[in-house]
């Protein structure tokens, strides 16, 4: 038995993916239906399955890594704990006013109503105090009023408290004192979360919502992780549990519970990390990660081998920005891999609305699931359409045998007859609309940001992605598609070697000129260096690691003087010098030009100091696809408006270097790859299949 086994689990809206890898690189995979009532049920079912199949004793699992959509779901479904919000007197309407952008149909809705604030006015309190933007105490904290507020909060019986006072990011003295008063009057189990501890950056509204969501989700996450840890121990797994954080690393379970807001993009981030590693192994640095599961499809960009990172995103956002448009959701100011997400997955429901075919965002989920699962679902989904079109193998979809008869009946009753077309053309329309909607996510992370996607490689991850990936690539003129081994559980694979990571940040506002000048520069640089040193100590303490163990990187937020939005620019290792700051300023000007096409050299300023500490997980080996039998066959598949008899191959039966030429279908237990005409590829020694468009043979021109 090998004590170096790692188990990685990804709980999605429809499926829970579990991957086990041992010290030899042998991989065992399970895909089970998610159990929404208690996600640990489906997770443990998958864990038991991989342990039994791999013949690994639970005690030989040395690491357990977990990605979950729990934090996102809690915010979207408003199922968090009751929270009280305390802010500076005079600013109690901050959450109610918010920032709201009316997009799409909302623009013309005469009956539009503003969404309810995340905390009702009855649970919002103001305390007399004031600190200036420079950190000076203008009005001391009124201790008597603060004590009365603490008593009022205690009387509400809330499960958590969030504090966000004006300018506490530069001087937290009032927040810390107020937190102490609240803790003294509340039960020990009630967390009191201060914004200066969660994310001490300027911007009171975004800092407030980030702190509030941390308090709102934290107790739910803590309870979930405690329950998961207990059930794993009951199974015999005593390995530490690490949870994926939004920026692509993992953190200890205790830290994830305390900083639940950092796990909001937990699952989607793992897919982009997996895409970056798969691309790096093959010398591909510019990638579009396309992750399509049962409920949603996500697109992310990797440039120069590094996933894009944003430091503010919207939970529940909507509009043509892929769900990230400011003012359309709850703003969160923590580092996260930059993604666009659309409600179009394998389980997305298709229906006819006033003569118009619609697909998603409603999903059949895990229960009852698509009609073809035979679990009680009667409404048609994208998976049902793909099955009718011949893209999926009825006998080769994980634990399920898919029912073409149920799929056809669902599409006939709910799509074909209302539209007055036959079942096949109705299914083809569902498939095409799903592709178009998923294309919107790719469009957001590429074209909309001024990036030509044609020089990129599309990486297909998720159970439904390989079926749609090549056609999606064609829409953007992308001529290369990479389908990694175990693509159907790609996000879970991305967790296997994820590094422990923590990021700390603090506002540091100073013009670049003041940091590089001979007179004031030395003092200001010393202050900046001190801020970095403090952030580094805090980050290393979070990881319980020493400076020699962890890899520490530094960066700064930088913007033009007077602007609101900043770019994050990396700093080189070594002392902070005038040359270091000049280099960062040049990088900022370059980034600005790349993003907006404007070559401006106006005065710039530093806004934020950031430190990221990473504790490498160890092995860098990627999982390999194991050899298996191949039973070549043929199947009728809908291509370019007609059914064609095409070859069907098993992924496990393909030898390294063996050419695969479209049209054909390549199957494996967790997914099915459609290779249309005009595409050709071959698996490498790990089983990854790199497809390329062939000139002159496809239905569209390639570069």
């Amino acid at each position: 038995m090998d004590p170096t086994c790692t188990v990685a689990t990804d709980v999605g809206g429809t499926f829970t993916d579990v991957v086990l890898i041992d010290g030899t690189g042998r991989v065992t995979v399970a895909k089970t239906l998610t159990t929404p009532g208690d996600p640990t049920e489906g997770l443990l079912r998958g864990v038991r399955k991989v342990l039994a199949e791999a013949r690994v004793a639970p005690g030989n699992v040395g690491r357990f890594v977990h990605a979950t959509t729990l934090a996102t779901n809690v915010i979207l479904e408003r199922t968090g704990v009751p929270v009280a919000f305390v802010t500076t007197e005079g600013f109690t309407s901050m959450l109610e006013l918010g920032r709201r952008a009316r997009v799409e149909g909302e623009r013309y809705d005469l009956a539009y109503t503003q969404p309810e604030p995340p905390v009702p006015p009855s649970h919002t309190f103001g305390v007399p105090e004031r600190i200036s933007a420079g950190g000076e105490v203008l009005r001391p904290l009124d201790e008597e009023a603060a004590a009365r507020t603490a008593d009022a909060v205690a009387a509400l019986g809330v499960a958590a408290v969030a504090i966000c006072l004006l300018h506490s990011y530069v001087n937290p003295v009032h927040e810390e004192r107020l937190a102490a008063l609240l803790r003294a009057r509340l039960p020990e189990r009630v967390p009191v979360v201060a914004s200066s501890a969660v994310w001490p950056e300027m911007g009171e509204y975004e800092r407030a919502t980030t702190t509030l969501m941390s308090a709102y989700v934290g107790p739910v996450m803590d309870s979930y992780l405690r329950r998961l840890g207990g059930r794993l121990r009951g199974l015999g797994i005593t390995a530490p549990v690490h949870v994926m954080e939004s920026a692509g690393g993992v953190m200890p379970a205790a830290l994830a519970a305390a900083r639940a807001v950092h796990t909001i993009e937990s699952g989607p981030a793992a897919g982009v990390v997996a895409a970056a590693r798969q691309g790096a192994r093959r010398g591909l640095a510019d990638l579009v990660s396309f992750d399509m599961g049962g409920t949603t499809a996500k697109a992310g960009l990797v440039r120069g081998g590094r996933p894009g990172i944003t430091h503010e995103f919207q939970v529940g956002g909507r509009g043509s920005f892929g769900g990230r448009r400011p003012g359309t959701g709850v703003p969160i100011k923590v580092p996260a891999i930059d993604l666009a997400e659309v409600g179009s997955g394998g389980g997305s429901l298709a229906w006819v609305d006033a003569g118009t075919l619609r697909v998603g965002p409603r999903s059949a989920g895990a229960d009852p699931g698509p009609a073809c699962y035979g679990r009680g679902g009667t409404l048609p989904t994208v998976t049902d359409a793909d099955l009718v079109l011949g893209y999926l193998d009825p006998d080769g979809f994980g634990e399920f045998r898919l029912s073409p008869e149920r799929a056809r009946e669902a599409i006939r009753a709910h799509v074909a007859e209302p539209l007055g077309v036959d079942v096949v053309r109705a299914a083809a329309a569902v498939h095409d609309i799903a592709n178009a909607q998923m294309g919107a996510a790719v469009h957001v992370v590429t074209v909309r940001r001024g990036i030509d996607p044609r020089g990129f490689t599309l990486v297909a991850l998720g159970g439904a992605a390989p079926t749609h990936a090549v056609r999606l690539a064609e829409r953007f003129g992308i001529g290369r598609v990479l389908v990694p081994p175990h693509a159907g559980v790609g996000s879970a694979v991305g967790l296997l070697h994820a590094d422990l990571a923590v990021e700390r940040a603090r506002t540091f506002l100073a013009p670049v000129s003041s940091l590089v000048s001979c007179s004031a520069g030395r003092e200001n640089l010393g202050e900046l260096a001190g801020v970095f040193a403090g952030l580094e100590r805090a980050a290393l303490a979070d990881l319980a690691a020493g400076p020699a163990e962890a890899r520490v990187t530094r960066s700064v937020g930088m913007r033009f003087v007077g602007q609101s939005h900043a770019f994050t620019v990396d700093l080189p290792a070594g002392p902070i010098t005038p040359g270091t700051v000049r280099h960062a300023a040049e990088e900022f000007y370059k980034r600005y030009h790349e993003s907006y096409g404007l070559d401006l050299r106006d005065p710039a300023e530093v806004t934020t100091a950031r430190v990221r500490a990473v504790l490498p997980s160890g092995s860098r080996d990627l999982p390999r696809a194991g050899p298996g039998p191949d039973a070549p066959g043929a199947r009728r598949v809908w291509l370019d408006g007609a059914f064609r008899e095409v070859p069907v191959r098993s992924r496990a039966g393909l030898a390294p270097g063996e050419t695969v030429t479209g049209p054909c279908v390549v199957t494996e237990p967790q997914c099915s790859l459609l290779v249309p005409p005009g595409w050709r590829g071959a698996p490498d020694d790990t089983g990854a299949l790199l497809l390329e468009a062939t000139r002159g043979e496809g239905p569209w021109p390639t570069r």
Side-chain angles (χ1 to χ4, degrees):
M1 295 298 180
D2 191 338
T4 62
C5 292
T6 296
V7 172
T9 63
D10 177 29
V11 179
T14 303
F15 285 103
T16 293
D17 299 336
V18 181
V19 178
L20 181 149
I21 186 169
D22 63 22
T24 68
R26 184 170 60 99
V27 174
T28 307
V29 172
K31 184 181 276 284
T32 66
L33 283 170
T34 295
T35 48
D38 182 1
T40 62
E41 287 289 339
L43 185 152
L44 289 171
R45 186 167 64 242
V47 170
R48 292 189 192 97
K49 183 177 179 181
V50 295
L51 290 174
E53 189 172 331
R55 297 183 179 179
V56 169
N60 287 330
V61 175
R63 190 170 186 234
F64 189 94
V65 193
H66 184 42
T68 174
T69 57
L70 178 68
T72 306
N73 294 340
V74 166
I75 295 173
L76 294 179
E77 298 167 8
R78 296 203 169 200
T79 55
V81 301
V83 178
F85 177 67
V86 186
T87 187
T88 301
E89 187 178 62
F91 289 81
T92 53
S93 297
M94 174 169 45
L95 296 176
E96 195 169 3
L97 292 171
R99 302 191 201 280
R100 187 69 186 170
R102 292 175 62 172
V103 299
E104 298 175 348
E106 290 177 349
R107 294 190 181 114
Y108 315 106
D109 185 0
L110 298 179
Y112 172 81
T113 56
Q114 187 86 347
E116 291 293 324
V119 174
S122 61
H123 285 50
T124 302
F125 301 87
V127 293
E129 66 85 36
R130 195 62 180 267
I131 288 176
S132 73
E136 178 187 357
V137 176
L138 301 178
R139 181 182 183 183
L141 176 69
D142 187 327
E143 298 251 349
E144 290 186 4
R148 289 194 299 271
T149 296
D151 290 335
V153 170
L156 289 174
V158 295
V161 181
I163 305 173
C164 182
L165 304 181
L166 241 60
H167 305 304
S168 61
Y169 60 88
V170 67
N171 184 353
V173 60
H174 287 176
E175 274 197 358
E176 290 171 351
R177 176 57 182 157
L178 180 58
L181 290 171
L182 283 161
R183 290 190 182 103
R185 285 166 169 78
L186 292 170
E188 188 177 350
R189 59 177 175 78
V190 177
V192 177
V193 184
S195 70
S196 54
V198 173
W199 204 248
E201 290 192 40
M202 58 185 175
E204 67 274 9
Y205 175 65
E206 290 77 12
R207 183 160 44 89
T209 55
T210 302
T211 306
L212 182 60
M213 289 303 108
S214 189
Y216 185 67
V217 176
V220 180
M221 179 67 76
D222 181 60
S223 174
Y224 169 74
L225 291 175
R226 287 179 184 275
R227 186 169 68 253
L228 174 61
R231 298 199 67 176
L232 289 174
R233 287 190 294 274
L235 197 64
I237 295 176
T238 58
V241 175
H242 294 159
V243 180
M244 189 76 179
E245 49 106 35
S246 302
V250 295
M251 58 175 64
L255 196 58
R259 299 183 188 173
V261 73
H262 287 258
T263 69
I264 287 174
E265 295 286 10
S266 174
V272 184
V273 171
R277 286 188 174 144
Q278 291 287 347
R281 189 185 184 282
R282 293 154 188 88
L284 303 172
D286 295 330
L287 312 165
V288 176
S289 169
F290 172 57
D291 183 356
M292 180 183 177
T295 308
T296 60
K298 286 80 65 177
L301 205 64
V302 177
R303 303 184 74 183
R306 300 178 61 182
I309 300 292
T310 181
H311 287 84
E312 181 179 336
F313 59 95
Q314 309 281 318
V315 180
R318 55 184 301 192
S320 56
F321 286 71
R324 297 303 181 95
R325 183 162 185 171
T328 63
V330 180
I332 303 294
K333 283 183 70 69
V334 298
I337 288 180
D338 196 6
L339 292 160
E341 184 171 356
V342 294
S344 188
S348 294
L349 295 172
W351 79 100
V352 176
D353 179 14
T356 300
L357 176 60
R358 300 187 182 276
V359 180
R362 293 184 299 168
S363 173
D367 186 16
C372 61
Y373 284 9
R375 294 172 52 86
T378 59
L379 300 178
T381 66
V382 174
T383 296
D384 293 306
D386 289 345
L387 181 62
V388 168
L389 298 174
Y391 303 149
L392 303 180
D393 182 357
D395 295 317
F397 197 74
E399 301 175 352
F400 305 99
R401 187 194 183 281
L402 305 183
S403 170
E405 296 77 19
R406 286 190 173 94
R408 290 181 65 88
E409 175 57 26
I411 293 174
R412 181 197 64 76
H414 297 280
V415 179
E417 288 187 354
L419 292 177
V421 299
D422 63 61
V423 171
V424 172
R425 294 197 178 275
V430 172
H431 179 86
D432 291 343
I433 290 175
N435 280 348
Q437 291 177 168
M438 290 181 291
V442 176
H443 186 271
V444 166
V445 298
T446 56
V447 178
R448 195 169 186 89
R449 296 176 184 172
I451 297 168
D452 185 348
R454 289 176 292 180
F456 284 67
T457 300
L458 185 74
V459 184
L461 301 163
T467 305
H468 295 258
V470 181
R471 288 303 196 195
L472 186 61
E474 289 178 348
R475 295 176 66 90
F476 290 91
I478 296 173
R480 188 183 294 118
V481 175
L482 176 63
V483 186
H486 312 294
V489 291
S491 289
V493 169
L495 293 167
L496 287 173
H497 301 303
D499 299 324
L500 279 165
V502 168
E503 183 162 326
R504 289 276 190 161
R506 179 182 158 188
T507 288
F508 181 89
L509 195 60
V512 168
S513 59
S514 73
L515 295 168
V516 299
S517 66
C518 295
S519 54
R522 183 174 301 174
E523 181 179 345
N524 290 337
L525 283 175
E527 185 180 352
L528 178 58
V531 170
F532 274 123
L535 293 173
E536 181 175 340
R537 285 193 298 271
L540 292 174
D542 289 337
L543 295 178
E549 302 172 86
R551 183 175 68 250
V552 177
T553 56
R554 301 171 301 182
S555 60
V556 292
M558 194 169 284
R559 67 185 183 188
F560 287 118
V561 174
Q563 285 195 335
S564 298
H565 300 287
F567 285 103
T568 297
V569 181
D570 291 338
L571 294 180
I576 305 295
T577 66
T580 303
V581 178
R582 290 192 190 96
H583 175 78
E586 289 301 318
E587 284 297 310
F588 164 71
Y589 292 136
K590 179 182 176 182
R591 290 274 303 280
Y592 194 91
H593 177 74
E594 289 174 349
S595 298
Y596 300 109
L598 300 174
D599 193 11
L600 298 182
R601 309 287 295 186
D602 292 356
E605 62 183 353
V606 172
T607 63
T608 311
R610 305 187 193 280
V611 162
R612 186 168 179 82
V614 176
L615 195 62
S617 65
S619 172
R620 302 287 92 189
D621 293 336
L622 292 171
R624 300 169 178 266
D630 187 17
R635 189 162 68 232
R636 293 177 73 244
V637 171
W638 183 263
L639 291 169
D640 303 322
F643 274 109
R644 297 174 60 177
E645 194 82 6
V646 305
V648 177
R649 299 292 305 275
S650 165
R651 166 76 81 101
L654 294 174
E658 181 179 355
T659 300
V660 174
T661 303
C664 74
V665 174
V666 180
T667 65
E668 57 182 303
Q670 292 82 36
C671 61
S672 181
L673 169 63
L674 172 65
V675 185
W679 289 80
R680 178 187 299 137
D684 63 14
D685 59 345
T686 70
L689 190 56
L690 183 63
L691 300 174
E692 295 184 318
T694 55
R695 293 182 180 274
E697 297 181 24
W700 55 281
T702 61
R703 296 200 307 171

